[in-house]
Amino acid sequence: MLNTTPTLYDDVAEVLISEEQIQQKIAEIGARICTDFAGEQILIVAVLKGALLFLADLIRHIDLPLAIDFLAVSSYGAGTESSGVVRILKDLDETIEHQNVIIVEDIVDSGRTLDYLLRMLRQRNPATLHVCTLLDKRERREIDVPIDYVGFEVPDAFVVGYGLDYAEHYRQLPFIGVLKPEIYE
Ligand code: IMP
Ligand code: MG
């Protein structure tokens, strides 16, 4: 008998980036970070909650001494647009002074969140400060932000999966996809 139970997968219109493509790319980024920071220690600052899956897979490809810390941010306002006003919901546990910091993000869209975080963290005097994002929605950029490691460039569409949510759902999908339009209605 056919299984007709509705699943999250039924809400997905299109898979933009497959699980295999994501994993392959993460292995490449991890290898680059290992080369770039050979002989050093690094501090990964992951931005909750979207970067969670990316972080977990990425660090398994980084064969260097590393520590992890978390920031939780939210931009004021609901919906699928970043308002540009960033609020820190959870700050780092430790100081970053004199450390090699790599910010790990799920996606850079307008660039406002990252711009805010870069300004904030620079003031704390890290030895180096780099940015690693899984996705780059470059077409939508409003503020020019330096990005050192990019997984994939994505088109101007709202994407979910692999950590990214729509109203807190779909984070657990192992791929990056686009939802069916009726989901947003
Ligand atoms: P920005 O400040 O406009 O660059 O937005 C960054 C944040 O908005 C990301 O860290 C995500 O949390 C969220 N975001 C932007 N685009 C998307 C998307 O397509 N899907 C899910 N979240 C998104
Ligand atoms: Mg985010």
Side-chain angles (χ1 to χ4, degrees):
M1 214 175 90
L2 259 165
N3 181 359
T4 53
T5 312
T7 79
L8 283 182
Y9 290 75
D10 296 329
D11 298 347
V12 175
E14 190 196 345
V15 174
L16 278 185
I17 308 166
S18 73
E19 187 173 0
E20 292 71 26
Q21 288 175 299
I22 293 171
Q23 294 304 328
Q24 163 74 36
K25 186 67 77 174
I26 290 175
E28 288 170 25
I29 294 174
R32 279 183 53 206
I33 290 174
C34 287
T35 306
D36 294 351
F37 291 89
E40 308 277 346
Q41 299 196 22
I42 58 180
L43 172 65
I44 305 241
V45 168
V47 185
L48 293 172
K49 307 167 191 167
L52 190 62
L53 276 70
F54 182 32
L55 169 78
D57 285 334
L58 179 64
I59 59 173
R60 281 178 267 193
H61 292 281
I62 304 179
D63 185 15
L64 297 173
L66 67 81
I68 300 164
D69 207 340
F70 295 100
L71 273 174
V73 300
S74 102
S75 40
Y76 284 110
T80 58
E81 297 273 324
S82 171
S83 68
V85 183
V86 178
R87 196 160 48 116
I88 301 295
L89 302 177
K90 185 219 164 291
D91 205 337
L92 298 173
D93 290 338
E94 307 288 342
T95 169
I96 63 169
E97 201 170 10
H98 307 318
Q99 300 196 62
N100 295 306
V101 174
I102 303 178
I103 301 177
V104 171
E105 258 283 26
D106 52 358
I107 185 166
V108 181
D109 184 5
S110 69
R112 292 180 181 280
T113 306
L114 186 58
D115 181 64
Y116 182 91
L117 293 180
L118 282 168
R119 287 168 195 274
M120 182 179 93
L121 295 183
R122 259 186 221 120
Q123 287 177 353
R124 300 184 187 183
N125 231 6
T128 60
L129 185 57
H130 289 80
V131 175
C132 174
T133 186
L134 180 67
L135 306 177
D136 182 359
K137 215 189 270 184
R138 200 164 299 172
E139 280 173 48
R140 301 237 318 158
R141 199 77 89 253
E142 291 167 27
I143 300 183
D144 192 30
V145 278
I147 305 179
D148 303 281
Y149 306 96
V150 180
F152 304 90
E153 210 174 303
V154 288
D156 181 7
F158 196 78
V159 296
V160 296
Y162 201 72
L164 291 102
D165 72 306
Y166 172 63
E168 293 299 327
H169 291 167
Y170 306 103
R171 292 193 198 275
Q172 75 268 47
L173 295 175
F175 51 80
I176 299 289
V178 179
L179 294 176
K180 292 176 179 166
E182 60 260 35
I183 307 296
Y184 301 107
E185 288 154 11

